[in-house]
Amino acid sequence: MRLYATVAAGGFRRHATYRVATAAGVFTNTVFGFILSYTYIALWQARPGLGGYGMGDALAYVWIGQALITVCGLMGGGFEDELIERIRTGDIAVDLYRPADLQTWWFAANAGRSAYQLLGRGIVPMLFGALVFDVTLPSHLWTWPAFLLSVALGSAVSFAVWYLVALSAFWLLDGQGVLQVAWLSGLFFSGMLLPLSVFPGGLGEVARLLPWASMLQVPADVYLERYAGWGLLRAYGFQAGWAVALLATGRAVQAAATRKVVVQGG
């Protein structure tokens, strides 16, 4: 465990060195937060209570999305390009022969990255949003740790999704097509554009069952205190269930990829 804790700390420090990139990211997230906020204001003025959200809830949702866009990898996990490149060049063979589990190694590195992004690019946009707009704030102190736990579970699901996307390069060599599909899926089905409760009929029901809902919709609803008691536990169970299922799938795909590398190397 000490090894993976060191890897996680290294992932945090690695991203902390890019201070200009962090500042640019904060600026970009804040600008888009303003654009989306005024768009949501116009929409909610025309349709009050849309999706079961009040105006303050909708504005809070906007800024939570801007805070979590990199933390939960809504448009990219932040590591998949590097992993795909290692697969494409064959450097992954060295990784597979190391006395460390490949999936756990990348999971730890991504956990460090996600923690830094929460501090570096997550908190500031939410503060800007809370200062400028009348966003809903939690009414209970315990909501904050509950929200952070949901964010951590959402980040785990995100990693599992993007890890599977990266592993597809073992068979496709160029994973750009899969990356684009995953990027568009994450943008749409996470609720980044609109809350999933706004989606009509069967589309909304399906969207709320997909893993991308774990990355934004569920954490946002935890923050907005739409879950309580057993409902909150079920929300956590939904996120944890997807994380376990996808990580197990990733481990199976990794095992198949390892056999492929061993056969080709032999």
Side-chain angles (χ1 to χ4, degrees):
M1 291 300 295
R2 182 179 297 179
L3 169 63
Y4 299 116
T6 302
V7 172
F12 186 98
R13 288 194 302 270
R14 176 184 180 185
H15 287 273
T17 59
Y18 299 103
R19 297 176 184 176
V20 175
T22 299
V26 169
F27 176 78
T28 301
N29 291 152
T30 303
V31 169
F32 274 97
F34 274 88
I35 294 172
L36 286 172
S37 290
Y38 286 114
T39 303
Y40 272 44
I41 288 172
L43 180 58
W44 257 259
Q45 285 177 342
R47 296 283 302 277
L50 182 64
Y53 293 100
M55 179 71 79
D57 298 340
L59 290 171
Y61 187 96
V62 168
W63 292 99
I64 292 169
Q66 292 306 305
L68 299 186
I69 191 169
T70 53
V71 176
C72 291
L74 303 181
M75 299 171 66
F79 69 92
E80 64 281 351
D81 287 330
E82 182 180 353
L83 182 52
I84 287 173
E85 181 63 16
R86 293 190 68 81
I87 295 171
R88 190 187 66 81
T89 60
D91 291 340
I92 195 68
V94 177
D95 299 339
L96 292 171
Y97 282 110
R98 286 175 179 165
D101 180 69
L102 184 70
Q103 186 186 59
T104 310
W105 177 286
W106 284 97
F107 182 91
N110 185 70
R113 179 205 65 81
S114 183
Y116 173 74
Q117 296 294 356
L118 178 62
L119 296 173
R121 290 182 60 175
I123 294 176
V124 176
M126 285 191 70
L127 287 175
F128 267 106
L131 289 172
V132 177
F133 298 96
D134 187 19
V135 304
T136 299
L137 297 174
S139 58
H140 300 95
L141 187 61
W142 61 263
T143 301
W144 290 104
F147 170 65
L148 290 176
L149 176 56
S150 184
V151 170
L153 290 170
S155 178
V157 174
S158 171
F159 167 80
V161 169
W162 289 106
Y163 188 70
L164 281 169
V165 169
L167 291 185
S168 69
F170 274 106
W171 290 271
L172 301 177
L173 294 182
D174 183 2
Q176 291 305 310
V178 179
L179 279 175
Q180 289 297 319
V181 171
W183 182 85
L184 290 171
S185 298
L187 181 65
F188 187 76
F189 288 113
S190 68
M192 188 66 195
L193 300 178
L194 281 171
L196 300 182
S197 57
V198 175
F199 287 20
L203 177 61
E205 294 178 6
V206 171
R208 288 189 290 271
L209 293 176
L210 295 176
W212 292 281
S214 299
M215 303 175 195
L216 173 56
Q217 184 68 59
V218 174
D221 283 340
V222 170
Y223 171 92
L224 293 170
E225 298 174 341
R226 292 166 69 92
Y227 299 114
W230 288 108
L232 180 60
L233 292 179
R234 284 194 295 271
Y236 288 152
F238 172 78
Q239 291 179 290
W242 269 118
V244 170
L246 291 170
L247 287 170
T249 303
R251 187 161 295 279
V253 174
Q254 175 185 312
T258 302
R259 290 194 294 270
K260 184 175 185 290
V261 170
V262 170
V263 170
Q264 289 179 344

